[in-house]
Amino acid sequence: MTETVIPAVSLQGVTKKYGTFQALTNVSLTVAKGERVVICGPSGSGKSTLIRCINQLERHDGGKIIVDGAEIGARGTRLPDLRREVGMVFQHFNLFPHLTVLRNCTLALTRARKMPRAKAEEIAHHYLARVRIPEQADKFPSQLSGGQQQRVAIARALCMNPQVILFDEPTSALDPEMIKEVLDVMIDLAQGQMTMICVTHEMGFARKVADRVVFMDRGEIVEAAPPEDFFNTPQNERTRLFLGQIL
Ligand SMILES: Nc1ncnc2c1ncn2[C@@H]1O[C@H](COP(=O)(O)OP(=O)(O)OP(=O)(O)O)[C@@H](O)[C@H]1O
């Protein structure tokens, strides 16, 4: 008997409108466990909307979104359960400014998971070391550089031991000298078994770690291929035009 392999994330014919504006049209994408997918495309093409629908920061209007075998929005699925499985790293970090780095990392563990504080802190210290800022635990976000803040945001996501981490342009608010330190942490993560879906314009990162690169344009997935094919022999004219502009 063959075993059914459940994907980490499966999108089937997903649509999303903002008022009358169609932001996503019939988007289908399956991401296997452990897979690293980079999503690129022009501004306004729906990249952020797509990943925000995966953790329901935006609600999709049509189609299905299935995370680890459970359909989102289906009767009986709870948003807190979903958020536990789906980590998110934002462009602007979204840390709580009034909480220390350590507390930013432990908050969801103690509140949502009801974990004792000492255990949560042990986990947080582990991941702060993993993102190479173990010494920053007692500082507040405003005392850190942008690159350090983004690494806290990554550690915070990792603390929940999610099935998948979504990255929404994690380096685009950073000064150039800080981009590398965040990308290095993401490369390190990608070399583990973490399932990652990253919206980014960092094509060097895509070449290095992606299993697949997805190109979105006007709310649709136009092309999806392994990096060697995507960059060397793009099949679609719109992909070729885009690559011509950014590479
Ligand atoms: N909350 C909203 N209300 C109305 N329109 C929105 C909203 N959020 C996004 N849009 C529109 O939906 C389209 C897709 O936006 P989205 O942010 O997903 O694109 P993107 O590809 O991530 O762009 P960028 O690279 O500039 O971040 C854009 O035209 C945008 O203006």
Side-chain angles (χ1 to χ4, degrees), residues 18 21 23 41-50 58 168-169 199 201:
Y18 295 112
F21 178 74
S43 181
S45 56
K47 307 179 296 294
S48 294
T49 301
L50 181 65
E58 298 289 352
D168 192 1
E169 302 199 27
V199 172
H201 295 112

Side-chain angles (χ1 to χ4, degrees), residues 85-114:
E85 298 305 332
V86 182
M88 179 95 178
V89 175
F90 300 89
Q91 184 176 3
H92 294 289
F93 329 133
N94 293 21
L95 299 173
F96 294 111
H98 60 293
L99 299 179
T100 63
V101 163
L102 189 67
R103 193 68 188 121
N104 265 280
C105 291
T106 58
L107 190 67
L109 290 173
T110 57
R111 293 269 171 89
R113 290 250 167 108
K114 312 283 181 222

Side-chain angles (χ1 to χ4, degrees), residues 49-81:
T49 301
L50 181 65
I51 63 166
R52 289 170 67 84
C53 282
I54 296 174
N55 74 350
Q56 293 288 278
L57 288 170
E58 298 289 352
R59 290 188 77 113
H60 56 301
D61 315 306
K64 286 184 180 179
I65 301 178
I66 301 167
V67 175
D68 196 25
E71 185 183 347
I72 296 174
R75 196 185 285 260
T77 53
R78 294 174 60 242
L79 213 47
D81 294 338

Side-chain angles (χ1 to χ4, degrees), residues 125-134 158 185 188-192:
H125 282 300
H126 169 81
Y127 285 113
L128 287 170
R130 175 109 192 251
V131 302
R132 305 167 196 175
I133 42 170
L158 289 171
V185 164
D188 180 44
L189 267 187
Q191 281 158 355

